[in-house]
Amino acid sequence: MTAIKRTWRRSGALVAVATAGVFGVGLAAAPAQAHTPVWSLTCTEVQIDLTRYNSQAENTVTVTVDGKELLPTETFKAEFHKKLELPKHSSELSVRLVVKAGDGDNFSRDETKKAPVCEDSTPTPPATPTPPATPTPSATPTPSDTPTTATPTPSSSTSSAEVPPSAKPSSPSGDLAETGSSSSTPLIAGAAAAIIVAGGGVMWAARKRRSAQH
């Protein structure tokens, strides 16, 4: 009976040791499967989500962009969530994430990704300056509002006065100056003489007839 009891005790001890070993392996494997480092990039930001880390350990995270710190080293426990804005850039940026797990280097991460260029980040040429607007001229005053200045028009008398009178040619024969008589004056004088002569003849005939009667 004593030998049988000893055999059972040994068997129980072996079973207990084996069970503890299996359980210990399971506990060690669980944290390895639980660490979940997730992060993503866009052209403007970095999104970091670190979950299911060992809350009893001291874990750290650091983010750099082209060798410059974007997120200085921070300590976290079970989880870490953060969104970081990237600087403006005209070419791809090299973004590096470093996560150090406090419960083992096999749970740490050191990864690098490229941030693309945003379409609207390309510098645009300066706008052409717009010429200043031409001022609109004021309305032209109507004829009634505009004073009129009379322009003197040269009259015919003025123009004729400017022309010197032509000199009258002198008579070559040296005739006397005109006295106002015209070319019909001799005819009138002859007719008057004929009338006088006829009147004298009539008077002579009348006197002779009277003398004959006496």
Side-chain angles (χ1 to χ4, degrees):
M1 288 294 293
T2 303
I4 294 173
K5 288 181 179 180
R6 289 178 180 176
T7 303
W8 279 105
R9 286 176 182 176
R10 291 177 180 174
S11 298
L14 292 174
V15 170
V17 170
T19 302
V22 172
F23 184 74
V25 171
L27 290 177
Q33 297 175 354
H35 294 72
T36 310
V38 177
W39 67 299
S40 59
L41 293 177
T42 65
C43 67
T44 58
E45 62 185 18
V46 184
Q47 179 67 42
I48 304 172
D49 296 294
L50 308 177
T51 58
R52 303 181 68 180
Y53 277 77
N54 189 348
S55 61
Q56 303 301 320
E58 186 174 322
N59 310 300
T60 62
V61 56
T62 307
V63 179
T64 58
V65 177
D66 288 344
K68 299 179 181 179
E69 282 189 346
L70 181 64
L71 174 66
T73 302
E74 286 192 17
T75 302
F76 68 96
K77 294 297 183 179
E79 295 184 359
F80 180 85
H81 302 279
K82 200 155 194 177
K83 184 182 292 186
L84 305 173
E85 185 177 354
L86 291 172
K88 293 183 179 180
H89 52 282
S90 58
S91 59
E92 288 186 343
L93 295 178
S94 179
V95 183
R96 182 184 178 188
L97 172 71
V98 179
V99 179
K100 292 184 179 181
D103 54 353
D105 290 339
N106 56 321
F107 306 134
S108 300
R109 291 288 183 273
D110 188 345
E111 301 176 354
T112 301
K113 296 182 180 181
K114 297 291 184 179
V117 179
C118 297
E119 294 181 358
D120 58 351
S121 64
T122 303
T124 56
T128 304
T130 305
T134 304
T136 305
S138 57
T140 304
T142 57
S144 59
D145 298 333
T146 306
T148 56
T149 304
T151 304
T153 304
S155 61
S156 59
S157 59
T158 305
S159 59
S160 62
E162 294 177 356
V163 180
S166 58
K168 184 176 181 180
S170 59
S171 176
S173 57
D175 292 339
L176 297 175
E178 293 184 0
T179 56
S181 58
S182 63
S183 59
S184 59
T185 302
L187 297 178
I188 297 173
I195 294 173
I196 294 173
V197 172
V202 173
M203 292 180 64
W204 179 79
R207 286 178 179 179
K208 190 179 182 179
R209 186 177 298 172
R210 290 176 180 176
S211 297
Q213 291 177 357
H214 291 291

